Amino acid sequence: MPAKPVPDIVVARLPLYLRALTAMHNSGKTFTSSKEMAQWLGIGSAQIRKDLSYFGEFGKQGMGYAVADLLEKLRKILHLDREWPMVIIGAGHIGSAVAAYPGFAHRGFRVCALFDNDPAKIGTSIAGLRVYDVHDLPEYVRAHDIRLAMIAVPAEAAQAVAELAVSAGVLAILNYAPLNLALPEHVRVENIDPVLHLQHMTYYLG
Amino acid sequence: MPAKPVPDIVVARLPLYLRALTAMHNSGKTFTSSKEMAQWLGIGSAQIRKDLSYFGEFGKQGMGYAVADLLEKLRKILHLDREWPMVIIGAGHIGSAVAAYPGFAHRGFRVCALFDNDPAKIGTSIAGLRVYDVHDLPEYVRAHDIRLAMIAVPAEAAQAVAELAVSAGVLAILNYAPLNLALPEHVRVENIDPVLHLQHMTYYLG
DNA sequence: CAGTGTGAAAGTCTTCACAGCT
DNA sequence: AGCTGTGAAGACTTTCACACTG
């Protein structure tokens, strides 16, 4: 749909806009402006207008944006007009906490299973979800057409399970293990390592 | 120390270099090169050299970088040549998982207490750490000279506890709640919202 | 007239390419 | 030869500023 190629950095901001708009929507707001959103998010209003302009003309001149309308448009753009099933690999503290997080359901995602290699965990339930043997991952991914996986295993095991997931058809990985995964070009990877953020901040704490 | 102002984006990459170097160090490597680090991290070698050049000349021409030496230099630059005590606000699933995470200790940080407003949790221990009443946060922060806090409370409560923490002297916050905190300029905030990453990736999953 | 959409300008970041050192 | 450190070039991003619209 976009006429000009969309910079990845612009795509990365859309979920932020979505989150702000959802909050506005929940608080009963029906209209907003790039200026208001900008203040809310702590960025420039021109940036928001330019970002949105990559995808179309969503505002009404002199009025701003209809919150519900823009919400829907952004959801379509991000392919959130359907529910994405996900698996979590690693049923330790992090995997369990993520599995129990109630924030996925209303934002387009559904965790549908956990995987681990610990016999003591396999067969149990965590947050109402079954924990399977990691060896059954490929079969499960194929059977349920899973494209998204979250990796929450120790660093030593992460590369191997990532490759296992990818070989079964996973196309995007959210990686909680503190290392850089080496995977084929076509696989998208995003990393979450809280320590990286902390170390970034300590630079400024003199 | 830096002669020219250091772009924030450069500072943000240093922890990544630190992480890669630590892995190399642990695997017995004593020397590396910008090229090798670059492959490891999936970025360009010139970028690494340029980033490091903001802080000094750490390499030996024709040889590359001494791993242990560069590690130490980066730790100094990021002020990780000491241990940073931290508190976690919110003793739910996420707060508890983060508290139990063993990865902080060797990377410069120590979680020293949890805070919550749930009477059922206050006074208990999680991962060997005491859970205090959130009302005691200011006193604790002042008494222990805490500058770093992680926020892991529901979105509705996040702004209020962030302000409480800041008023007591906290200067940097790692925020797990899915909203943008509005805080004074001098407070550094980094956000972790896994859903934002997932939504970024679904854009590319057609 | 308030606020969008957008070329053009300004600013920032990355990559190149090479002198110089070991 | 192999690799660093770095100006200069190139690519990318943000911001400006204004014609245009409801």
Side-chain angles (χ1 to χ4, degrees):
Chain A
M1 178 139 307
K4 306 231 164 142
V6 183
D8 181 64
I9 194 165
V10 169
V11 177
R13 276 191 295 264
L14 299 184
L16 223 48
Y17 301 162
L18 198 59
R19 200 175 69 174
L21 285 163
T22 303
M24 288 176 181
H25 190 248
N26 290 343
S27 71
K29 237 181 194 324
T30 57
F31 266 85
T32 186
S33 65
S34 59
K35 200 170 150 196
E36 189 181 42
M37 290 176 68
Q39 279 177 228
W40 190 299
L41 293 166
I43 62 180
S45 64
Q47 175 145 241
I48 293 175
R49 293 199 301 280
K50 179 137 323 245
D51 285 354
L52 296 178
S53 78
Y54 281 101
F55 303 95
E57 310 197 351
F58 304 131
K60 301 198 209 315
Q61 311 249 31
M63 312 258 134
Y65 303 89
V67 174
D69 178 58
L70 186 50
L71 261 178
E72 195 191 341
K73 299 268 171 58
L74 286 178
R75 271 201 271 261
K76 274 229 174 66
I77 292 165
L78 292 167
H79 306 119
L80 299 171
D81 48 354
R82 52 159 154 160
E83 192 184 61
W84 293 88
M86 284 187 301
V87 296
I88 299 176
I89 313 176
H93 285 112
I94 304 173
S96 303
V98 172
Y101 181 56
F104 292 118
H106 295 291
R107 296 169 76 189
F109 303 91
R110 194 181 85 248
V111 179
C112 48
L114 283 152
F115 292 85
D116 207 295
N117 67 351
D118 179 352
K121 284 175 185 154
I122 296 166
T124 65
S125 279
I126 290 177
L129 295 165
R130 186 74 180 278
V131 181
Y132 296 95
D133 189 320
V134 72
H135 287 117
D136 299 331
L137 177 66
E139 188 190 327
Y140 189 98
V141 165
R142 272 186 275 262
H144 295 78
D145 198 23
I146 304 288
R147 275 170 254 183
L148 274 163
M150 304 177 86
I151 292 185
V153 303
E156 312 81 65
Q159 180 65 36
V161 301
E163 287 171 9
L164 188 66
V166 169
S167 72
V170 163
L171 294 171
I173 291 174
L174 183 53
N175 173 40
Y176 283 87
L179 47 36
N180 279 76
L181 298 172
L183 294 171
E185 276 291 317
H186 73 275
V187 181
R188 298 207 61 94
V189 181
E190 301 258 334
N191 299 285
I192 292 182
D193 181 348
V195 176
L196 256 30
H197 292 284
L198 295 170
Q199 292 177 335
H200 180 182
M201 295 194 287
T202 54
Y203 175 81
Y204 298 100
L205 295 184
Chain B
M1 178 141 306
K4 306 229 164 147
V6 183
D8 181 64
I9 194 166
V10 170
V11 176
R13 276 192 295 266
L14 299 184
L16 223 48
Y17 301 162
L18 198 58
R19 199 174 71 173
L21 285 162
T22 303
M24 288 176 180
H25 189 247
N26 289 344
S27 72
K29 236 180 195 326
T30 59
F31 265 84
T32 186
S33 65
S34 60
K35 198 169 152 196
E36 188 181 43
M37 288 175 69
Q39 280 177 226
W40 191 297
L41 293 165
I43 62 180
S45 64
Q47 175 145 243
I48 293 175
R49 294 199 301 280
K50 171 82 68 192
D51 285 354
L52 296 177
S53 78
Y54 281 101
F55 303 95
E57 310 196 353
F58 304 132
K60 301 197 208 317
Q61 311 245 35
M63 312 260 133
Y65 303 89
V67 174
D69 177 58
L70 185 51
L71 261 178
E72 195 190 343
K73 299 267 171 60
L74 286 178
R75 271 202 270 261
K76 274 229 174 66
I77 291 166
L78 292 168
H79 306 120
L80 299 170
D81 49 354
R82 51 158 154 161
E83 192 184 60
W84 293 88
M86 284 186 302
V87 295
I88 299 176
I89 312 177
H93 284 112
I94 305 172
S96 303
V98 172
Y101 182 57
F104 292 118
H106 295 293
R107 296 169 77 190
F109 303 90
R110 194 181 84 248
V111 179
C112 46
L114 284 152
F115 292 85
D116 207 295
N117 67 351
D118 179 350
K121 283 175 186 155
I122 296 166
T124 66
S125 279
I126 290 176
L129 295 165
R130 187 74 180 279
V131 181
Y132 296 95
D133 190 318
V134 72
H135 286 116
D136 299 332
L137 176 67
E139 188 190 327
Y140 190 99
V141 165
R142 272 187 275 264
H144 295 80
D145 198 23
I146 304 288
R147 275 170 253 184
L148 274 163
M150 304 177 86
I151 292 186
V153 302
E156 313 80 66
Q159 180 65 37
V161 301
E163 287 170 10
L164 188 66
V166 168
S167 73
V170 163
L171 295 171
I173 290 175
L174 183 53
N175 173 41
Y176 282 87
L179 47 35
N180 280 76
L181 298 172
L183 294 170
E185 276 291 319
H186 72 276
V187 181
R188 299 208 61 98
V189 181
E190 301 259 332
N191 299 286
I192 292 182
D193 181 349
V195 176
L196 256 31
H197 292 284
L198 294 171
Q199 292 178 334
H200 179 183
M201 294 195 287
T202 54
Y203 176 81
Y204 298 100
L205 295 184

